[in-house]
Amino acid sequence: NAGVMQNPRHLVRRRGQEARLRCSPMKGHSHVYWYRQLPEEGLKFMVYLQKENIIDESGMPKERFSAEFPKEGPSILRIQQVVRGDSAAYFCASSPGGRYSNQPQHFGDGTRLSIL
Amino acid sequence: DQQVKQNSPSLSVQEGRISILNCDYTNSMFDYFLWYKKYPAEGPTFLISISSIKDKNEDGRFTVFLNKSAKHLSLHIVPSQPGDSAVYFCAASMGANAGGTSYGKLTFGQGTILTVHP
């Protein structure tokens, strides 16, 4: 999984705190996707971003969750006022993009979020 | 609404034999399909993909077959090796032919745990 860098690898927060998860895409990739994996489940799409634009946030919970991919720097997934149900593995993926070509997404190793 | 399903939670195979992992989908708008392999505490690793204009794609020991009329795809691994033991996810997307913003995002199956015995 070299290339897509996520940090931190593990994050522990108490209920009510904020969690910030960072993702740097592979070099040359301008499309970033966030997925969440709950225990014993597959990965679920959350949000798709390009630089400075949210393309599709249909998988994001309506409250407490936000994402950005600024012109400079990594993409950030932010969870405010965390609750126990937010405990999961959060994966970031990137692709070269391009609307008219099929390109596989490449994943980082994820951030394991634990809520106490 | 599980649009991509992997109905076998686990599969056990002897080393050297063929492993066949299956995946079914319901959304006829999907036109790009991928298989990922995942080890514990790591992210999914891309294995192989297939576009809906093809029915087969091969890469070394890995072959993916797509049956559009049955909305079914399978991954064949031959010969299987102990290092292949992992969780395998199939995924689908509305790729280049989709309109709007639906293209790109992957819809995953629940995964199949493959164990290859020496």
Side-chain angles (χ1 to χ4, degrees), chain A residues 8-113:
Chain A
R9 290 294 310 275
H10 301 273
L11 182 60
V12 180
R13 285 287 178 266
R14 296 189 182 277
R15 281 178 294 169
Q17 291 184 321
E18 178 180 287
R20 283 193 181 222
L21 289 64
R22 287 176 290 278
C23 169
S24 296
M26 283 181 72
K27 188 176 182 180
H29 287 191
S30 59
H31 294 233
V32 166
Y33 308 81
W34 286 92
Y35 295 84
R36 177 166 65 175
Q37 185 181 25
L38 296 171
E40 309 301 324
E41 294 187 13
L43 283 76
K44 304 286 188 193
F45 168 79
M46 299 182 74
V47 63
Y48 164 29
L49 310 106
Q50 296 177 24
K51 286 283 187 182
E52 300 185 283
N53 281 307
I54 297 175
I55 305 302
D56 181 356
E57 56 182 347
S58 59
M60 288 273 273
K62 297 290 183 234
E63 298 178 349
R64 302 188 298 108
F65 285 72
S66 62
E68 62 176 6
F69 189 16
K71 187 176 181 181
E72 301 291 338
S75 175
I76 306 287
L77 179 67
R78 183 182 177 206
I79 311 172
Q80 295 178 290
Q81 299 176 318
V82 295
V83 301
R84 289 236 169 94
D86 297 332
S87 294
Y90 292 81
F91 293 97
C92 170
S94 71
S95 72
R99 184 186 185 95
Y100 300 104
S101 65
N102 287 320
Q103 299 282 350
Q105 294 174 25
H106 295 271
F107 283 79
D109 282 337
T111 294
R112 271 91 187 149
L113 176 63

Side-chain angles (χ1 to χ4, degrees), chain B:
Chain B
D1 179 24
Q2 191 71 31
Q3 297 187 63
V4 178
K5 294 182 183 180
Q6 294 176 254
N7 291 318
S8 298
S10 63
L11 175 68
S12 183
V13 171
Q14 204 69 29
E15 180 179 7
R17 298 290 186 104
I18 185 171
S19 296
I20 300 176
L21 298 106
N22 294 302
C23 180
D24 298 293
Y25 63 96
T26 57
N27 190 336
S28 58
M29 292 294 291
F30 289 143
D31 63 0
Y32 183 54
F33 304 90
L34 310 91
W35 284 94
Y36 286 87
K37 170 181 174 181
K38 187 180 181 304
Y39 294 117
E42 294 185 10
T45 299
F46 169 71
L47 279 176
I48 192 169
S49 63
I50 188 167
S51 167
S52 60
I53 61 174
K54 295 186 173 182
D55 55 18
K56 176 183 174 182
N57 189 26
E58 193 171 352
D59 184 0
R61 296 187 297 115
F62 302 93
T63 303
V64 56
F65 295 91
L66 175 63
N67 182 333
K68 281 182 63 180
S69 60
K71 294 191 177 67
H72 177 84
L73 65 154
S74 61
L75 175 69
H76 292 210
I77 307 173
V78 57
S80 301
Q81 300 172 354
D84 295 330
S85 297
V87 181
Y88 287 77
F89 290 99
C90 71
S93 73
M94 302 176 205
N97 299 318
T101 59
S102 296
Y103 73 98
K105 74 180 185 184
L106 297 177
T107 301
F108 281 85
Q110 310 94 309
T112 297
I113 301 170
L114 173 66
T115 304
V116 180
H117 297 283

